[in-house]
Amino acid sequence: MAENPMEQFEVFKIGPSLLLNGTNVSLTNSSLFMIISVFLIILFFALGTRKLNIIPGKIQVLNELVFDFISKMINDTAGLDAKPYFSFILTLFLFILSLNMVGLFPYSFTVTSQIIVTFALATIIFIGVTIVGFIKNGVGFLKIFVPSGIPVFLLPLIIVIEIISYLSRPISLSVRLFANMLAGHTMLKVFGGFVVALGIYVGWLPLSFSIALIALEILVAFLQAYVFAVLSCIYLNDALHMHH
Amino acid sequence: MSELDDLKKKINISKNKIKTKFLPSSNNNPIGSAFRISTELVASLFVALFIGWYVDKWLNTKPIFIIIFFFFGVAAGILNVVRSTKMINKD
């Protein structure tokens, strides 16, 4: 009766196997739910912008809310210079948010609970931010590893520490999102198993706990998407302004 | 002219109100910052240990560099935590 709580994270193939130059590119449940999430985002904006009014409709208000929210967040964390990256950050935020939210539905699959997905996203940001930093500051971007006001004999030590701290960014970014989603969904499954195992008389206790947990998970799903976007903005800010 | 100045003052006051009301709101969310800090410490240690292990494998000096980089990793982790708490306190 008690199901394996980790079973929900299994990636399996849907439909026929596809091979492209020897690489397996067949559709999996993971990629299916990514496609669903992207489709939901497109649907959200398509419905909101179908007929634009000065006095906006319900979905249009939501669209504008999301736009304002992200635009304000970028302004707060990375300043006006980061405006050209608005569309990227917005896409990133909405993609992670919808992946997290779709994953909360029963029988669905949480793509962000796979570390390879979050690590790929974090690596894209890490490499992109580094490239932006070198384009904006030239070789001077390397000064990010040399904080000012440090005695010379400490410099070799500090530079190594700074480089490690810089390299740890994609790890901490990806592990945070992955661990939160994995832990939350495992907990939900475990408490769901308790409800079945304890039956009608005592089962309502873990059931009420599950309800509270679901509310927490919705908060976490939003918060993690937000934190991911905020941290990308902070890294972008470091690359654009370099005030260490 | 004084009417215009009055109007300007009023506009400035309400602008400031908007700023103080809406700006940091979710930035200093305690749960958000807790999530943020917790992984910073571990991530640097992980990176440093990986570098140490790799250098050891490369130079065939089994435990030396992994030990050295362990301390670097701890230092970098604490540096990260200090930085992010500073950022949170600033908001």
Side-chain angles (χ1 to χ4, degrees):
Chain A
M1 203 178 286
E3 256 185 278
N4 179 5
M6 301 312 267
E7 202 185 280
Q8 54 175 324
F9 302 116
E10 222 166 90
V11 178
F12 52 83
K13 209 166 54 198
I14 296 172
S17 312
L18 293 170
L19 281 178
L20 193 78
N21 282 338
T23 315
N24 197 345
V25 288
S26 28
L27 192 73
T28 62
N29 54 349
S30 171
S31 38
L32 176 71
F33 276 98
M34 278 194 220
I35 293 167
I36 289 174
S37 303
V38 171
F39 179 73
L40 282 178
I41 298 169
I42 294 171
L43 190 76
F44 173 59
F45 280 111
L47 282 177
T49 53
R50 195 177 41 180
K51 48 177 198 276
L52 293 169
N53 290 322
I54 295 177
I55 301 165
K58 275 173 201 153
I59 302 176
Q60 198 186 334
V61 165
L62 266 178
N63 283 349
E64 287 172 6
L65 214 67
V66 171
F67 255 77
D68 267 6
F69 178 66
I70 295 299
S71 138
K72 203 177 275 169
M73 190 264 288
I74 293 175
N75 266 346
D76 289 352
T77 50
L80 281 173
D81 297 338
K83 266 281 125 86
Y85 308 99
F86 169 77
S87 46
F88 175 70
I89 302 286
L90 180 73
T91 313
L92 189 74
F93 172 73
L94 282 175
F95 185 54
I96 295 172
L97 181 69
S98 65
L99 286 181
N100 290 351
M101 289 297 183
V102 167
L104 280 173
F105 283 95
Y107 297 106
S108 70
F109 178 80
T110 321
V111 183
T112 40
S113 65
Q114 306 289 318
I115 190 152
I116 194 65
V117 173
T118 59
F119 189 67
L121 283 170
T123 312
I124 291 168
I125 290 156
F126 177 72
I127 294 173
V129 162
T130 311
I131 290 172
V132 166
F134 274 114
I135 288 173
K136 292 276 168 184
N137 306 296
V139 190
F141 184 59
L142 289 176
K143 266 195 211 131
I144 202 170
F145 300 125
V146 189
S148 53
I150 299 284
V152 182
F153 61 93
L154 270 179
L155 265 185
L157 220 63
I158 295 293
I159 287 173
V160 174
I161 290 172
E162 287 281 349
I163 288 173
I164 290 171
S165 138
Y166 189 73
L167 288 178
S168 75
R169 282 174 174 188
I171 309 275
S172 70
L173 202 58
S174 56
V175 167
R176 184 179 303 113
L177 178 59
F178 149 77
N180 275 299
M181 298 325 283
L182 187 83
H185 284 262
T186 311
M187 278 241 282
L188 279 178
K189 193 83 176 192
V190 167
F191 277 95
F194 283 168
V195 176
V196 179
L198 291 175
I200 285 181
Y201 298 110
V202 205
W204 56 268
L205 237 156
L207 183 68
S208 54
F209 201 82
S210 297
I211 293 167
L213 216 57
I214 275 278
L216 181 75
E217 277 310 302
I218 292 171
L219 175 73
V220 166
F222 172 77
L223 215 59
Q224 287 308 317
Y226 177 71
V227 165
F228 204 95
V230 163
L231 282 179
S232 317
C233 282
I234 288 170
Y235 297 158
L236 200 63
N237 180 42
D238 280 350
L240 290 173
H241 298 113
M242 286 192 63
H243 45 67
H244 256 314
Chain B
M1 215 41 210
S2 66
E3 264 178 46
L4 260 181
D5 283 341
D6 273 357
L7 195 63
K8 221 176 223 169
K9 241 182 226 166
K10 267 185 194 165
I11 289 173
N12 273 333
I13 287 170
S14 38
K15 259 186 187 168
N16 280 333
K17 251 186 205 164
I18 288 173
K19 251 184 200 164
T20 49
K21 223 183 202 171
F22 292 106
L23 272 185
S25 59
S26 43
N27 261 4
N28 49 19
N29 190 324
I31 305 173
S33 25
F35 280 138
R36 226 155 94 184
I37 295 163
S38 55
T39 43
E40 300 276 5
L41 197 68
V42 190
S44 324
L45 192 63
F46 186 77
V47 170
L49 284 178
F50 181 76
I51 295 171
W53 171 77
Y54 201 80
V55 171
D56 267 344
K57 214 176 81 171
W58 179 43
L59 297 175
N60 242 338
T61 51
K62 198 68 195 251
I64 299 170
F65 279 98
I66 212 164
I67 291 169
I68 295 171
F69 272 93
F70 169 78
F71 290 106
F72 278 136
V74 171
I78 291 170
L79 183 77
N80 275 346
V81 169
V82 168
R83 268 201 193 131
S84 39
T85 39
K86 248 186 205 164
M87 216 178 302
I88 292 160
N89 284 341
K90 209 170 62 185
D91 294 338

